[in-house]
Amino acid sequence: MSENIQKMQNVKSIREVNLKDKRVLIRVDFNVPMDSELNISDDTRIREAIPTINYCIDNGAKSIILVSHLGRPQGKSDSFSLKNILKRLERLLSKDVVFVDSLENAQVTLNTLVDGSIVLLENIRFYEGEEKNDSALSQKLASLCDVYVNDAFGTSHRKHASTYGIAQYAQEKVAGLLLKKEIDSFAVALSNPLRPLLLIVGGSKVSSKLTLLNSILNVVDKIIIGGAMSNTFLKAIGYDTKASLTEDNLLEDARSILRSAKEKGVKIYLPVDVVATDDIKDPKVVKIIPAQDIPDNLMAADIGPATVKLFNEVIKDCETIVWNGPLGAYETQKFSRGTFSISHAIADTYAYSIIGGGDTADAVDKAGNKDSMSFTSTGGGASLELLEGEVLPAFEVLDKRV
């Protein structure tokens, strides 16, 4: 894992190329959450892209074209248009941004603008070739720039035209400031960490974290497992988890992970009590129950107070903490206490703490601890694959220092 992280750290940074009078295309990640009326509910990803955009402006770029996706549109759709984030982007930059509704019009628009102009291209996923890594689309994107900058860590695990294919045709291809910050932050936690190193892993499915758990055993000292995925581990050691979400086809995999951890001297902590309910979205029954005594027709929805106390003691003892996945159904207030308590516990330590993006970052934000964490990643799936020890595709294709 350490070797692959060093490989990703070795990509060229935007600070190492000349941008003067160059056309710069930045692959940003403006895939921000919106409410039903298309109001942005969290603009973190836009804010994180601002330093790279400003760096291009300050260093004399002739033009800056921003390329991003938004959501998972099936064809063109107003609700997935990047027009919806234009005003917020302009406010954060304190500059006008020209919106271009199609790739076909982009080159014409760029030719008519004054030097230093910023252009926002319409949602790149409106093009079918984006997710297929289509070479024709990749070439069109590359033709718009002299320097390609990838600053979209959240999509760095995807082999798409705007994150992977474009690099084959771009003259220079480098990492933006955010992309470098992401990989350097993970390097602190994983390449030569202060110990003990703790991984906290949650979420709903063991299947999505199976590779992570197997690969991370050679790196960490302790692992806390919570969320619905802990049900499978509890069932694997003989508990009757009743109506709780489990993956029965992965029981032997869970047992194998527990055996491997014991052999490697990695301590794994599971819930000792749970908050059980009849229905997560519309609960009529809510009980705090020992993990081995869940009543019939009830399911675990959160870790209980005894588990919070146990996990907090583990957290206090660690010098580096990596957290990926909430420890309960935190979106429902009755089942948020466990996840929020763990967030508070991490915030109260002096440990180097990395929050693995996605739902975990959202939970930490809702708990009010975002500013107390050492680093919060902008990529959920990307951070997960990085923790699995992979070299992310977006880093593979960028220019290297040596």
Side-chain angles (χ1 to χ4, degrees), residues 153-171:
F153 181 76
T155 59
S156 61
H157 59 312
R158 306 292 189 196
K159 287 187 177 182
H160 292 172
S162 66
T163 60
Y164 191 82
I166 183 175
Q168 181 179 346
Y169 306 101
Q171 298 173 40

Side-chain angles (χ1 to χ4, degrees), residues 53 55 79 98 124 194 196 198 236:
I53 299 169
Y55 183 86
S79 60
V98 179
I124 193 63
L194 294 172
L198 167 67

